[in-house]
Every structure is written in structure tokens, then in C-alpha cells.
Amino acid sequence: MERANGQGELKRENLRLLASITGRLEGRDMGSAVAEIQQKLNDLRLPIGYTYEIGGQYQAQRQAFRELLMVFALAVVLVFTILVIQFRAWTPAILILLAAPLSLGGALLLLILTGTDLNISSAMGLILLVGLVVKNGIMLLDFSEKLHEEGEPFESAIAHAGRIRLRPILMTTFCTLFGLLPLALGLGAGAELQKPLALAVIGGLALSTPVTLLVVPG
């Protein structure tokens, strides 16, 4: 810290005097730094009438996370609505959408293993996963329903659909994974900014694909 002359003006907010304290982070993520600041401020006894508020980029980040959470919920509702319209039944839509929570677990696991923070970019990857993980279930159950309508028993139809649709499901999944691999490795200009998004999608797809092939038919 260095002592320096302040600005020759008084700042007010809501008719109260305001003193701004700013800082620059280097080699630290914002979440852990703010948590440490918050802990020290909780132990600090302020004079009567004094309050503090953490704003700036941290406040903007929290607002962005709240908005992304609303977008995520809206995406789930819209995807579920489309599935119900497609299959004209609740059960297939619920079965397909059950792969989404497991894919989120795979995404969070890969973020933890790589030491990547859950930020705006990775949160966008989680939203993207909602649409990606259901495509495998749609390909599988849609084909099994066609076989079932043609007279094949449901258990046999779902097993038959699994054998037929295995190759296209794996092909589309691997194309997505390898397409995101350069971003996940941080290759190219600006790739570091989108690296958490790529890691979240790769982790989610890597877990959701076997879940869709093994659990959903069961």
C-alpha cells in the first residue's frame, strides 16, 4: 500500500458520502479474492453509520450469473416442450431430459480436474449442453418408436435402435468433441477466453453419451 493524496471532490450515493476502494487482481481468481475480502470485512467493526458494498466486476459477474440461470431454466423448459410435441408423450421427453443433470455433472467434474473456474464462459457451455445432450436421446427413441409402430416389441425395438443408431450418435459426438478440442487446449487467438466453455461441453458430452446409450433405453 502507498499513501497518496485523494481527489479533491466528495462522492455521494443516495445522499450518503461514498469512498471508493479499488484493486487490481493478478494471479488470483475473482471468486476466491472476493471471498477473502468478505471474510476480513466481516471481522472488521465499522463505526456507526458506516456500511460497505462490494461492486465493480464482482457485482456485474453475479448479475450475469443470475441472468444465465434464468436463461438455463428457460432453455430446459423450451427443450422439454419440444420433446413433448415431438413424441406426443411425457415419458420419452422425461427420459431424454434426465441425461441433462448427468451431463452437468460430467462438465463440472472436468472443470474441477483441469482447475478451471466456473465463470460466464463455462456457464454458457452448460446452457449449450442442454440442447446437445438431448439429440442422442431423440435419435435413439425416435427410431425405436418407428420400429415399435411397425409391430416390433418395445424391448426388441429399443435394442435394435441402439445397434442401428450407435454409429451416428458416436460420429456426431466425436465430431463435436474434436471440433472443440483446439479451444479446450487453448490453441489460437482468443481461445483462452472460450476454454472453459469447451471444457464444459466436452465433459458433459463425454458422460451423457454413454448414459443415453445405456441408461435411457433401460
Side-chain angles (χ1 to χ4, degrees), residues 67-77 100 104 123 126-128 130:
E67 293 175 355
L68 284 174
L69 185 62
M70 182 176 63
V71 171
F72 180 81
L74 182 60
V76 172
V77 171
L104 298 183
L126 297 181
I127 296 175
L128 183 61
V130 176

Side-chain angles (χ1 to χ4, degrees), residues 40 43 45 48 53 82 91 96 102 124 159 164 168 193 199 201 210 218:
K40 293 184 179 298
D43 299 334
R45 291 193 175 186
I48 297 177
E53 182 178 317
I82 293 174
T91 303
I96 292 174
L102 295 174
M124 291 176 62
I164 299 299
L193 296 176
L199 290 174
V201 174

Side-chain angles (χ1 to χ4, degrees), residues 82-156:
I82 293 174
L83 290 174
V84 172
I85 294 173
Q86 166 71 22
F87 292 102
R88 298 181 297 277
W90 296 94
T91 303
I94 295 173
L95 287 176
I96 292 174
L97 208 58
L98 282 178
L102 295 174
S103 69
L104 298 183
L108 295 176
L109 179 62
L110 186 58
L111 291 175
I112 293 174
L113 293 177
T114 56
T116 305
D117 298 321
L118 181 61
N119 52 24
I120 303 298
S121 179
S122 54
M124 291 176 62
L126 297 181
I127 296 175
L128 183 61
L129 272 176
V130 176
L132 290 176
V133 298
V134 299
K135 68 175 181 62
N136 295 335
I138 292 174
M139 295 172 63
L140 186 64
L141 292 184
D142 182 66
F143 190 68
S144 67
E145 282 201 348
K146 290 181 180 179
L147 295 176
H148 184 58
E149 291 175 356
E150 293 174 359
E152 192 169 345
F154 183 76
E155 292 78 7
S156 175

